[in-house]
Amino acid sequence: MDLIQYIPRLLGGLVVSLQLTVIAVVCGYILGLFFALGSTSRRKAIRWSAIAFVEIGRGIPALVLLYMVYFGLPAFGLLLSNFTAAACALIINTAAYSAEIIRAGIKSVPSGQLEASQALGISPTATFINIILPQGLRSSIPALMGLAIMMFQATSLAYTISVNELMSQGYQVSMITFEYLNVYALTGLVYALVAVPSTWLSIAVERRLSRGVSVSV
Amino acid sequence: MGDAFRTVLLGLPMTLVVTASAFTIGILLGFPVMLGLRSRYAPVRLAFRVAVDIVRGVPPIVWLFLIFFGVQFGAIRMNALTAAIVGLGLVASAYLAEIYRGGFQVLPAGQHEAAAALGIGRYNTFINILTPQAFRTVLPSITNYLLSLIKDSSIASTIGVADMVLLANQYARQNPDMAGIVPFLLAAIVYFIVSIPVALFARRLDSKVEGKR
C-alpha cells in the first residue's frame, strides 16, 4: 500500500471540506434564524417571502443550487471563485433547512409559557427574546447538529466545480495511482471518521437535552 | 428557452428511473437490515449498527465513484446507470432501515404482550401485528425520504448518467450566449413539479396519522 504517502493530501482536502462546513453552518444558521423569525411574522409580505425562500431552498437539489450559483452569477457581473460559489450555495441550502428546524423548535415551546409571561406583565418582545426563543433553540440543537453533519457530507458536491476539498483530492489521487477502489475507500473512510462520531455525539446530546423535559405538555 | 427546456426534459426519465430503482432497493433491502439492527444477538446488532453508520457517514458521491470506478468483475465495469442505482440503493437501504427501526421502537410493549397472552406465535405477531402498525407510523418518514432521494438522484450525473442535471450542464456549456443559470433553473422547476405529488401524499398521510392518535 503506497497510498499512505497520499494521506496528508487527503487530510489537506479534509481541512477545506471542514472550512466549507463551518462557513455554511455559521452563516447558514444565522440566516436560518432570520428566516425562521420571518416565517412566523405577522406581516404577510415578510411571512410569505420567508416561506418561499425556505421552500425553494429545500426543494432544489444541492447540486443544482451549486451549479446555479457557479454558472449563474457571472451573468450578473459577479465573478466568484469556486470556493466562494460553493460556500454561497451551501449557505443557501443550510439557511433553508435550519430555518425550518428553528421554526419547528420555536413552535414546540408550550403556549403556557407565553400565557405565563403575559400574566406576569412581561412585554411581548422580552417574552419572545428571553423566554420563547432560548427554549425553542434548545430543542432545535439535536436537529441542527444533524444538519451540520449533513452539510459536511454535502461539501463533497463542491468537487463538481473543482474546489480542492476531500472528494477532489481523492479523485486526483485516484487518477495518479489508478487504485480507484482503495483510494475511494480511503476517501470515504476519512468522511466516515468525521461523520460517524459526530452522529454519535449528536445522539448523546439529544439524550442529555431530553433529560428532565417532560414529554407530555 | 424552449430549447433548453426540451433538453432538460429529455433527462427526466433518467432522473425518475434512478430515483425509483434506488427507492425500490432501499424499501426491500431496508427490511432485512432493520432486522439485523434489532437482532437479539448483540454482536449482530453491533455489526449492523456499524455498517449502517458507515454507509450513511460516507457522502453518496463517494459511494458512486467507489462503485463506478472501483468495482470490477474481471475486465467488466458496471455502466454508470447501474453504478448509480446500486450506490444510491445502498445508501437508501441504510436510511430506510433506520426509519423502519424507529417505527418498531415506538410500538407499545403491550402489543407484544397481548399477542403473547393470546398465544399468537412470535413470527405471526411480528408479521401480522407489529409490522402493519410500524409501517403506518413510518409512512410519512418514508415519503419524506423519497422527496430527498428525488433530489439526491442528481448526484448520478457526476458519474455520467444522462439525467436532468447532466443535460442542463451540457446545455449551459454548449450555449454560452444564454445566461448559465437558465437550464439549471428549468431543471429546478421540474424537480419541484415531480416532488409535488409526493409532497401532497405526505401531507395527507401526516393529517391521517395525526387523526388516528
Side-chain angles (χ1 to χ4, degrees), chain B:
Chain B
M1 185 99 156
D3 204 26
F5 191 56
R6 266 190 296 280
T7 311
V8 168
L9 269 189
L10 282 178
L12 179 60
M14 210 47 127
T15 294
L16 295 178
V17 165
V18 172
T19 307
S21 312
F23 187 62
T24 310
I25 292 176
I27 286 283
L28 298 178
L29 213 60
F31 201 77
V33 175
M34 177 274 293
L35 292 180
L37 286 172
R38 287 174 54 81
S39 166
R40 265 183 294 169
Y41 307 106
V44 177
R45 256 198 332 264
L46 184 71
F48 273 89
R49 168 55 46 211
V50 171
V52 165
D53 281 351
I54 288 180
V55 169
R56 298 197 306 165
V58 176
I61 190 172
V62 178
W63 279 120
L64 295 200
F65 274 69
L66 193 148
I67 292 167
F68 183 54
F69 292 106
V71 178
Q72 280 184 327
F73 306 100
I76 303 165
R77 230 169 54 186
M78 257 181 252
N79 66 33
L81 179 61
T82 316
I85 290 172
V86 169
L88 291 171
L90 177 78
V91 175
S93 307
Y95 275 95
L96 285 165
E98 195 68 22
I99 291 174
Y100 291 159
R101 193 189 61 81
F104 281 95
Q105 198 93 332
V106 298
L107 286 184
Q111 295 288 333
H112 214 285
E113 291 155 9
L118 289 168
I120 302 170
R122 284 176 50 93
Y123 175 79
N124 232 334
T125 305
F126 183 74
I127 296 294
N128 294 322
I129 297 175
L130 300 181
T131 304
Q133 294 187 63
F135 189 69
R136 208 174 56 208
T137 328
V138 298
L139 211 49
S141 309
I142 294 177
T143 45
N144 277 336
Y145 184 71
L146 177 58
L147 282 176
S148 72
L149 190 60
I150 293 172
K151 288 178 280 168
D152 276 355
S153 73
S154 61
I155 296 171
S157 69
T158 57
I159 55 169
V161 174
D163 74 337
M164 291 200 288
V165 175
L166 186 121
L167 294 182
N169 206 335
Q170 272 180 1
Y171 193 90
R173 284 171 200 276
Q174 285 163 5
N175 299 277
D177 45 309
M178 181 187 244
I181 201 169
V182 172
F184 296 109
L185 210 52
L186 295 170
I189 292 169
V190 181
Y191 277 106
F192 255 117
I193 294 171
V194 171
S195 303
I196 288 173
V198 185
L200 287 179
F201 181 67
R203 186 160 296 179
R204 235 185 63 196
L205 279 178
D206 259 337
S207 51
K208 261 193 182 166
V209 171
E210 291 289 319
K212 284 248 160 86
R213 270 181 201 146

Side-chain angles (χ1 to χ4, degrees), chain A residues 14-100:
Chain A
L14 176 64
V15 171
V16 179
S17 297
L18 289 173
Q19 282 170 346
L20 271 177
T21 311
V22 170
I23 293 172
V25 164
V26 171
C27 303
Y29 285 6
I30 294 170
L31 266 177
L33 175 62
F34 282 109
F35 281 109
L37 299 181
S39 67
T40 55
S41 166
R42 253 174 294 173
R43 292 208 189 105
K44 261 191 183 158
I46 297 178
R47 190 169 70 232
W48 285 112
S49 41
I51 291 175
F53 172 85
V54 171
E55 291 305 320
I56 292 171
R58 298 195 316 155
I60 299 177
L63 188 59
V64 176
L65 205 55
L66 198 65
Y67 285 137
M68 278 165 79
V69 174
Y70 184 63
F71 288 104
L73 290 187
F76 300 101
L78 271 171
L79 274 176
L80 300 178
S81 75
N82 300 6
F83 184 88
T84 318
C88 286
L90 289 169
I91 289 171
I92 295 171
N93 216 235
T94 317
Y97 278 101
S98 63
E100 189 59 23

Side-chain angles (χ1 to χ4, degrees), chain A residues 10-11 13-18 20-21 149-160 163-171 183-199, chain B residues 53-63:
Chain A
L10 291 180
L11 291 182
L14 176 64
V15 171
V16 179
S17 297
L18 289 173
L20 271 177
T21 311
I149 299 166
M150 214 179 95
M151 292 330 290
F152 168 66
Q153 299 205 357
T155 58
S156 61
L157 299 175
Y159 148 79
T160 57
V163 175
N164 265 330
E165 45 65 68
L166 180 50
M167 176 65 198
S168 299
Q169 297 295 354
Y171 176 78
V183 171
Y184 287 122
L186 191 63
T187 309
L189 190 70
V190 177
Y191 276 110
L193 282 177
V194 175
V196 175
S198 309
T199 310
Chain B
D53 281 351
I54 288 180
V55 169
R56 298 197 306 165
V58 176
I61 190 172
V62 178
W63 279 120

